[in-house]
C-alpha cells in the first residue's frame, strides 16, 4: 500500500503525528494504540515491509482464545508511528487522544492472501494470534490456542 493514503489524510503541521518515511522492512515490532477518537478503538499495527500494517479493532485485541474481534484494515502507517502518543487536534483526521496500550515484538508464523498468523511478545499481550481476511477491509482477529510443545 505505501504511505500515500496516510499522508493524504493528514495535514502535517496541524497534527503532531509523524510524516514518516518507509523503513528498511527488517523490523518485527508491534504496537497497540488506544485511540479515543469519535469512537474509542484500538489500533493494532505490525511492522512489515517497511511500514506498519494497521487495523482498527473497536473492542480491543483479545487476550484469550475463542474471542473473535472485528479488525478493520486501515492505511499503512510509517514505522515512526510506533512511538506516537499525543492529541490530534479537533477538526483533524482521527481527532482525539492516542496512548500506547501495548508494544513488543512479533514473529510471523504464516502468511497467505487471506490469513496472517503470528505470535506476539508484548507487555500485556503474548501468544499466538491470527488475522483472517473476511471481505473488503474486514478481518477477524483471534488468539489461537497454543499447540502443545
Ligand atoms: Mn485510530
Amino acid at each position: 500500500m505505501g504511505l500515500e493514503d496516510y499522508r493524504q489524510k493528514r495535514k502535517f503541521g496541524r497534527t503532531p503525528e509523524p510524516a514518516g518515511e518507509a523503513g528498511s522492512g527488517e523490523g518485527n515490532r508491534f504496537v497497540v494504540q488506544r485511540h479515543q477518537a469519535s469512537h474509542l478503538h484500538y489500533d493494532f499495527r505490525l511492522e512489515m515491509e517497511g511500514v506498519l500494517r494497521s487495523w482498527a479493532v473497536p473492542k480491543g485485541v483479545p487476550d484469550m482464545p475463542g474471542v473473535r474481534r472485528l479488525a478493520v484494515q486501515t492505511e499503512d502507517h510509517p514505522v515512526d508511528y510506533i512511538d506516537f502518543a499525543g492529541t490530534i487536534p479537533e477538526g483533524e483526521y482521527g481527532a482525539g487522544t492516542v496512548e500506547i496500550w501495548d508494544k513488543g515484538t512479533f514473529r510471523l508464523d504464516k502468511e497467505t492472501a487471506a490469513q496472517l498468523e503470528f505470535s506476539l511478545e508484548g507487555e500485556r499481550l503474548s501468544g499466538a494470534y491470527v488475522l483472517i481476511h473476511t471481505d473488503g477491509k474486514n478481518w477477524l482477529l483471534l488468539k489461537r490456542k497454543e499447540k502443545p510443545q
Side-chain angles (χ1 to χ4, degrees):
M1 249 199 281
L3 297 175
E4 295 80 9
D5 282 4
Y6 174 84
R7 292 191 178 121
Q8 275 174 13
K9 287 174 191 281
R10 293 171 175 78
K11 297 184 203 82
F12 301 105
R14 291 201 203 167
T15 177
E17 296 166 291
E21 287 174 20
S24 66
E26 287 176 17
N28 65 331
R29 296 173 295 167
F30 84 91
V31 69
V32 181
Q33 284 151 322
R34 184 181 187 277
H35 188 178
Q36 179 65 70
S38 50
H39 297 281
L40 174 66
H41 60 275
Y42 293 79
D43 288 302
F44 177 63
R45 311 189 198 278
L46 296 173
E47 186 176 20
M48 294 177 78
E49 293 156 12
V51 294
L52 300 177
R53 287 180 72 181
S54 298
W55 292 262
V57 188
K59 292 188 174 173
V61 180
D63 61 0
M64 62 173 78
V67 181
R68 291 160 171 257
R69 293 279 162 81
L70 172 68
V72 180
Q73 189 162 20
T74 59
E75 74 277 16
D76 289 346
H77 279 49
V79 288
D80 302 11
Y81 208 95
I82 211 155
D83 296 314
F84 177 71
T87 301
I88 302 167
E90 207 59 43
E92 300 307 311
Y93 181 72
T97 56
V98 176
E99 293 165 40
I100 295 175
W101 186 84
D102 196 16
K103 65 198 294 188
T105 58
F106 75 98
R107 185 187 68 223
L108 187 60
D109 298 320
K110 191 179 176 190
E111 182 178 14
T112 65
Q115 199 155 312
L116 208 53
E117 294 181 17
F118 50 89
S119 301
L120 299 180
E121 197 172 318
E123 288 164 27
R124 294 184 191 233
L125 299 171
S126 67
Y129 281 81
V130 60
L131 270 163
I132 301 164
H133 189 207
T134 53
D135 65 284
K137 292 178 184 294
N138 295 335
W139 297 63
L140 287 172
L141 176 59
L142 300 95
K143 188 167 187 180
R144 292 182 279 151
K145 288 200 176 74
E146 305 284 347
K147 293 187 184 98
Q149 298 293 314

